[in-house]
Amino acid sequence: MAQSAPPSSFHGVISRDPNATFSAEPGRYHLYISYACPWASRCFTYLKIKGLDEVIGYTVVKPKWGKTKEGEDHSGWVFPISDTEESGAQPDPVNGAKSIRALYELANPALTSGKFSVPVLWDKKLKTIVNNESGEIIRMFNSEFNDFAKNADLDLYPPHLRSQIDELNDWILPNINSGVYKTGFAQTQDDYNTNVKSLFEALDRCEGILSKQRYLCGNTLTEADIRLFVTLIRFDEVYVVHFKCNKKAIHEYPNLFNYTKEIYQFPGISETVNMDHIRRHYYGSHPWINPAGIVPIGPNIDYSTPHDRARFSA
């Protein structure tokens, strides 16, 4: 029997249909994100490259987790109390919430526990969470707001490549996107060995693909590239050390490294990468891995330097 979704899961669908419960309208929706979280950053990236940042508002939480409720031990994503408290983060302008958890409780007052994650796509009209699954949100951003998008012609999930994109996602998600977490959070040596092996086998596979073509699906930037990029951009700065993914750094893969630089330099994407938030979150929010919360000094890679991917131009 299929398990029911937990009460902290929201899978509403925004549609171009004006009669839909969640119809695509400028100014109606608000995206809550963390620069640190790769899943939230997927959505923020789509917001920027599709030219939706004047159609859908967004707010960034503080990089380090904090207490989400008085008298409880739960730590999670929290908002600053003022615009000046934390560079790059803002108080919640829509609901005045103090934490992401508070948004979940607004959407479902019966909710007493769960995974209070980002991203959160909020409906200001119905005062509820529409969706908190990044894979679903980016598909909506790709197509359902094209009447208002500055870059409506950019299609990151084109019909002729969908099966190929889905197939890539099927092995990149468990082995790379989630693989770094499974490696870093492993509780036994056997679990670590299994997960780190799968991670680097998948990275080697990507390196092989990118030695023959510009992007994962050929000469077209797609959803699969964005989903891979958000992990690659965090890899050398965080995952190599913090998650013990130190067999090989991304800058040691010639194709993956130049590919990461090219995507970083795509108009709008560098704005979604705040390495200070990324580093301080990971090294400061997992005390069971890094009890003292010390943030390493490097490597401070410059992803704005020239890349060589134009050699694959059609």
Side-chain angles (χ1 to χ4, degrees):
M1 187 173 79
Q3 292 182 327
S4 59
S8 57
S9 294
F10 294 84
H11 297 281
V13 177
I14 296 175
S15 171
R16 299 174 79 167
D17 180 354
N19 297 313
T21 300
F22 300 111
S23 59
E25 302 170 31
R28 176 173 173 175
Y29 301 99
H30 197 84
L31 182 68
Y32 293 96
I33 63 150
S34 163
Y35 280 118
C37 173
W39 319 97
S41 292
R42 293 175 178 177
C43 302
F44 193 30
T45 298
Y46 267 68
L47 203 70
K48 288 292 185 179
I49 64 177
K50 286 288 294 185
L52 291 170
D53 46 340
E54 294 180 9
V55 175
I56 300 167
Y58 63 90
T59 300
V60 181
V61 295
K62 293 170 67 173
K64 288 180 66 175
W65 287 340
K67 297 297 182 186
T68 59
K69 186 170 284 190
E70 289 292 330
E72 294 190 14
D73 291 334
H74 181 267
S75 292
W77 301 111
V78 294
F79 297 98
I81 59 173
S82 71
D83 286 315
T84 57
E85 180 191 344
E86 181 78 57
S87 176
Q90 307 86 35
D92 174 16
V94 177
N95 297 292
K98 303 302 182 187
S99 68
I100 290 294
R101 174 182 178 174
L103 296 175
Y104 280 79
E105 293 172 342
L106 277 174
N108 181 0
L111 193 61
T112 57
S113 64
K115 187 178 179 183
F116 307 114
S117 59
V118 287
V120 168
L121 184 56
W122 183 267
D123 182 356
K124 294 189 285 186
K125 182 176 180 180
L126 298 181
K127 296 180 172 56
T128 192
I129 295 173
V130 179
N131 199 298
N132 65 344
E133 168 51 55
S134 64
E136 296 173 6
I137 294 172
I138 62 175
R139 296 268 173 97
M140 291 185 269
F141 285 179
N142 184 60
S143 60
E144 300 309 303
F145 289 88
N146 278 344
D147 289 342
F148 319 107
K150 292 177 184 174
N151 298 318
D153 291 340
L154 176 64
D155 187 356
L156 295 162
Y157 193 57
H160 70 287
L161 292 176
R162 287 179 183 177
S163 61
Q164 189 177 353
I165 292 168
D166 291 344
E167 182 183 346
L168 285 159
N169 292 344
D170 282 346
W171 59 266
I172 289 174
L173 170 62
N175 295 305
I176 299 179
N177 302 135
S178 297
V180 292
Y181 285 89
K182 290 188 286 188
T183 300
F185 292 158
Q187 295 296 299
T188 69
Q189 188 68 51
D190 284 346
D191 282 348
Y192 169 80
N193 291 345
T194 297
N195 289 310
V196 79
K197 181 176 183 289
S198 297
L199 167 63
F200 280 96
E201 285 176 348
L203 287 173
D204 289 344
R205 185 174 175 184
C206 288
E207 176 73 3
I209 293 170
L210 295 169
S211 71
K212 301 178 179 70
Q213 57 196 43
R214 190 162 187 169
Y215 304 109
L216 290 173
C217 289
N219 281 329
T220 303
L221 182 76
T222 70
E223 173 189 298
D225 298 299
I226 302 302
R227 289 170 59 123
L228 178 59
F229 169 79
V230 295
T231 297
L232 298 181
I233 198 68
R234 290 160 173 77
F235 202 93
D236 289 10
E237 295 286 347
V238 173
Y239 302 147
V240 166
V241 174
H242 190 58
F243 283 169
K244 305 178 183 69
C245 301
N246 64 345
K247 181 182 178 183
K248 196 172 181 180
I250 297 303
H251 72 263
E252 296 176 283
Y253 288 95
N255 292 292
L256 276 170
F257 183 44
N258 280 280
Y259 165 85
T260 302
K261 289 196 290 184
E262 183 186 9
I263 296 177
Y264 177 83
Q265 293 168 33
F266 193 91
I269 290 186
S270 65
E271 300 171 47
T272 72
V273 180
N274 185 321
M275 204 58 76
D276 176 64
H277 276 225
I278 291 169
R279 288 155 57 86
R280 288 199 292 128
H281 165 70
Y282 282 97
Y283 290 114
S285 298
H286 304 142
W288 63 95
I289 296 178
N290 188 28
I294 294 170
V295 180
I297 196 170
N300 298 313
I301 292 170
D302 184 0
Y303 291 95
S304 64
T305 58
H307 61 80
D308 66 0
R309 303 304 290 172
R311 73 184 196 270
F312 291 113
S313 295

